[in-house]
Structure formats: structure tokens, C-alpha cells
Amino acid sequence: MLQGCSSTDHNNKKSIFNLNLEYGLTSLDPAFARNQNALWLDNQLYNGLVQINDRLEVLPAIAKSWVISPDGLKYIFYLRNNVYFHDDALFANGKGRKCVAADFVYSFGRLIDPKVASSGSWIFSDKVTGKESFIAVNDTTLIVQLKQPFSPLLSLLTAQYCSVVPHEVVERYGKDFRIHPVGTGPFKFKYWKEREVLALVKNENYWETDSDGNRLPYLDAIKATFISDKQSAFMSFIKGDIDFFNGIDGSYRDDVLTKSGKLTKKYQGKFVMSARPYLNTEYLGVLVDTSLTITKNSPLRLLKIRQAINYAIDRRKMIKYLRNGIGTPGHAGFIPEGMPGFDSMAVAGYSYNPEKARRLLAEAGFANGRNLPRITLNTTTTYRDLIEYIQGQLQAIGINTRVEINQIASLRELVAKNGVNFFRAQWIADYPDGENYLSVFYTKNKIPFGPNYTGFSNRQFDALFEQTYRETNDSLRYKLYQKMDSIVMAQSPVIVLYYDRLVNFHQTNITGLNTNPQNLLVLKWVKKAHLRP
């Protein structure tokens, strides 16, 4: 257990970065990296073949270079010869062994193994024929053989799901690998008391160096706490007990931000605020698969009801008063602002039109909401004010809703099992390509095979989705994305609320903490100056 994690620790001069994970953490196994907290921690513990920078460019990581065959079906990766797994008792003499191409064959094969039931199995499921598609030619040469071309493959490989893991450790611990992680990343696992505290320490043998040849990371350790109440966590940040704070909650938003999204005078100079577009679409999801028992009698199975909901919400007002200007109203498609190829003029989304909403409701047979059953909308405590605002907007056109508050993990589980008809959700980019967002609506990605939580299915959409595999011209591929996004909007399996804007805070003695559109926490470049008593 780490001792002396205060930002004013002067005895041992250890440089310890403190953060809070208010949403909790269930696994440090990258095969289950499906929420932000897991992504943040896994990004410190593991590496993949490639990595992404703040400009969304794909850069070498364990793969120092690669070659793509002319037909786009074969990717040959040439690996570094100086990358080692963290020390572990299961390795010879307890010292981490060298990472080789066979480790990627194992890791990628594990990702698509139905026995593992990885939440990231969809990453490769429709792109390769099976485990035989991953080939280790020798220790430093890896081949990935695709069924058909897939232009965003390099971007896809930056996802945390594609991290490399050592077979002997995974096989020894099985499901407990989630609490005994071993990777090649800049930090290694030290301690985890679930729901209380977690510690990672510097990997002294990490392979990356800075431009001056100094070995990364600069920090000695990372300490994570699990304060679930956002306001309490923010107070810890104000006191200096936490070095980094992510997001802004309604309970203290007006105290921190003006209505135009700037820091209030009270906090100017007290800490550093970073804001930029964020590849995160906040939305309401609607279960539309009528083959499911839960959906057969739901009024949400009717397209005009879903469209009425879309027209009933004043997103501009919502952003101004409930988000203090943080975010962009979701008037286009599911693919968010900031994503390459985003064009708000090319996708017909929904804007506020209560009269049209009422007309659609009447056309569906429920004029002024008469005889329309009450609809349950599931959310979590963090989004309660936003959902209650939506509840009022729907009430104004005649749609009665009941808001059901769930724990974050519970709602995630319900959604992942098609257990609710109407739910608040978000999609944060696993990798920076619009295909990642559209995969949420691909028929073959229906639960339990992938992230199609709404059960959406459309032949024209699927045909276009598969056509994008063969399109190597980015501009033409983006046009296909826009056609697909327009189909989704017309069928309304989701109500896009807004495209998020990233707001992070960090203490003034922290440097090297850059922000990126994925909000992927990168701590290997961070330095922390010690404060004087």
C-alpha cells in the first residue's frame, strides 16, 4: 500500500498523482475496458501495437512500423525488440519477459473467444475468420489477415481492448486477472482495495523515452480513490487532495462556471481548466427490437412516438441552463462533433418543434397523449436534473414518463441484457472513426454479440455499413457514414441529446497533462512539482 500520497509529501519526495474514480471500477482486464474508468487505468497498465496522439493521429507503439498489402487484406506489423511485461512471480526469476508477436496472437484470439465473453469481442468479430487470422511469423513480425478490407483498422487497434497481455498470467488467474493485471505499460499494478483505494507504481523498465532520451514515465505512482459523490470529490480537489478532476456536476456547476462556460471569479487562478470538443454522444436509447417480449407492447415500438420525443426536446435551452454552455445541441446525427467527417449539414437530425411533436403523437393515435401508457425512463443519479428536464418537455406535449434512478453499474447491466425499453446512455469513441459510432446499429452487433443495445436492424444500413469496408477513400467513406447516420435518425432508435464538450481541471503544480478528444487519460508525460509547506 502506498504511504504519503499527499501533494505536500516532502519526506521521500515521491511524485504521486491523485485522481478519483467516482463511477467505480470492476476490472483491470483490457478485454472488459468498456467504461471510462477502466479505459483510464488500462491506458496506464498496457500498450497495444499502435497508439493515438492528441490530434487523433495513429502512431507506433509496440509496433515500430507496418506494411499494408495492396488489396488491404493483410497488415504486417514489425515489433520492437525491447518491450517487457511487468515483473511477476509467474515469469522466470520473477522478472518480466519480453513481449513478442505470439503475445498479440494470444491477446487478439482471447478477445474473440466466446468463452471469455469480452465486451470488446465485436472489435474483430466481423473482420477476421477466427484466431487463425492472427499469425506470428517470428518474435518481431505479426500478421493480421482480414476477411475484407477495413480502412479504419489502425485506428481500431488503438482501442484499449487491443492491449497485449501475457498468456501465462491470464491463464493462471483466469477471471481474477481483473485484479491481477500485468501489462507492458508505463505503470504497474501495486494494490487495490475495491471501492476504496487503488495504487499503480512506476514501471522502471518502460520502453518509451522522451525527446531527450529520458525514460518515461516521470511520476513515481498513481493513487486512485473511489468517492462516489461528485460534490464531495470536487471538495477534495479544491483542498488539493486530488490532482485531476473530470467533468462538472449539476450540484456545483453554477458555483464553478458562468452560464457561458467560463470559470467564475471565485476559482480563477486556483486551478487549471481545460475544455475542448469531446468524442462523446449523450443520448436516450430506445429498445426497438419487436421480437423481444419487453418491446411488444411498448408504445416506443411506434416510429412516430420516437420521432415525437425527438422533436419535443429543446436541446439549446438544455445546454444553456443545465450544462452552462458545455456541449453542442444534438441536432445532427449520432456521430459527434469533432469526429473526422462530421458535417452537421449532411445529416438530418432533429430540432425543437413541439407542434410537430404533438402532430406525430396524434398521428400515432394518441392525440394530446390520450390513452398513451406512461413510459419509464431509466437513468442514474448524475443525470437526474437533465432527465427531469426531459420529463417536463415530454409532459408538455402529452407524453407521461416515470423516471427510474439506477446505480451506474446496474443500469449498464440492464441495458447490456435488453432489460429496459428507454434509457439514458453515452457513447465515447473507442477509436476515432465514425464507424465506431455506426457499429452501435449494425444488425450483427446485436446483444450478446456487440454493442447494438437498441436492437436496431435495417437492411439498407447494413449494406452501406459493409460497403464502407471496401472504401479506402476517406471522403467517400465519410459520405457513406452520413447516409447511414441519416437512416438511423429517420428511424429514431436513439434521441441524440448533445455532443459533449470535455471539461477537466487539474492543480497548478501539474504539467504535461494534455487533453484529447477521447478524454483518454495519458499520465506517462505528467510531472508534478512538490508544493512548499
Side-chain angles (χ1 to χ4, degrees), residues 319-388:
I319 292 295
K320 182 176 181 180
Y321 293 105
L322 294 178
R323 300 277 306 164
N324 289 64
I326 302 298
T328 302
H331 291 154
F334 194 69
I335 295 175
E337 184 181 36
M339 179 69 78
F342 174 84
D343 185 348
S344 61
M345 303 301 293
V347 180
Y350 294 85
S351 54
Y352 183 51
N353 192 333
E355 289 307 314
K356 192 166 186 177
R358 291 187 183 93
R359 188 163 65 250
L360 284 163
L361 200 58
E363 290 172 6
F366 303 101
N368 299 315
R370 284 196 301 271
N371 300 318
L372 180 68
R374 188 166 63 163
I375 299 168
T376 299
L377 174 52
N378 291 266
T379 187
T380 56
T381 305
T382 306
Y383 291 87
R384 185 169 193 157
D385 59 339
L386 185 141
I387 294 303
E388 287 177 348

Side-chain angles (χ1 to χ4, degrees), residues 206-222:
Y206 189 54
W207 57 274
E208 274 190 286
T209 58
D210 64 17
S211 57
D212 295 323
N214 299 309
R215 191 182 294 271
L216 298 176
Y218 302 123
L219 293 167
D220 291 304
I222 299 167

Side-chain angles (χ1 to χ4, degrees), residues 245-313:
F245 196 81
N246 177 65
I248 191 88
D249 188 67
S251 59
Y252 55 86
R253 185 182 294 118
D254 291 334
D255 184 46
V256 180
L257 297 180
T258 65
K259 287 300 181 187
S260 60
K262 306 295 183 183
L263 271 180
T264 57
K265 288 184 179 180
K266 177 179 178 181
Y267 292 110
Q268 288 177 10
K270 299 290 181 63
F271 48 78
V272 179
M273 173 178 159
S274 301
R276 65 176 301 166
Y278 180 20
L279 297 183
N280 174 28
T281 298
E282 296 279 345
Y283 68 100
L284 304 180
V286 183
L287 194 57
V288 295
D289 185 349
T290 54
S291 68
L292 300 171
T293 302
I294 190 175
T295 313
K296 285 180 178 176
N297 296 315
S298 168
L300 295 171
R301 75 188 187 282
L302 303 174
L303 174 59
K304 289 184 177 180
I305 298 289
R306 301 196 298 273
Q307 290 175 328
I309 293 171
N310 256 308
Y311 282 118
I313 300 169

Side-chain angles (χ1 to χ4, degrees), residues 63-70 72-78 142-144 153-154:
K64 60 183 179 180
S65 62
W66 52 85
V67 174
I68 306 171
S69 64
L73 294 176
K74 184 182 291 186
Y75 286 66
I76 306 172
F77 295 93
Y78 300 101
L142 172 75
I143 293 176
V144 176
L153 182 72
L154 290 173

Side-chain angles (χ1 to χ4, degrees), residues 482-495:
Q482 290 158 8
K483 287 182 181 179
M484 295 155 64
D485 213 349
S486 293
I487 291 170
V488 172
M489 289 302 98
Q491 294 300 311
S492 295
V494 292
I495 291 88

Side-chain angles (χ1 to χ4, degrees), residues 31 33-34 111-113 117-128 150 156 159 161 427-431 433 435-440 442 444-446 448-453 465 469:
R34 65 177 183 175
L111 198 61
I112 61 174
D113 186 344
S118 165
S119 55
S121 61
W122 56 274
I123 287 274
F124 286 119
S125 61
D126 58 335
K127 300 170 185 68
V128 300
F150 182 68
L156 177 146
Y161 287 126
W427 188 264
I428 302 171
D430 294 292
Y431 48 93
D433 192 277
E435 185 272 346
N436 183 225
Y437 282 79
L438 297 169
S439 68
V440 175
Y442 184 43
K444 291 181 181 178
N445 281 340
K446 279 189 178 185
F449 304 108
N452 186 344
Y453 301 126
F465 189 83
Y469 290 170

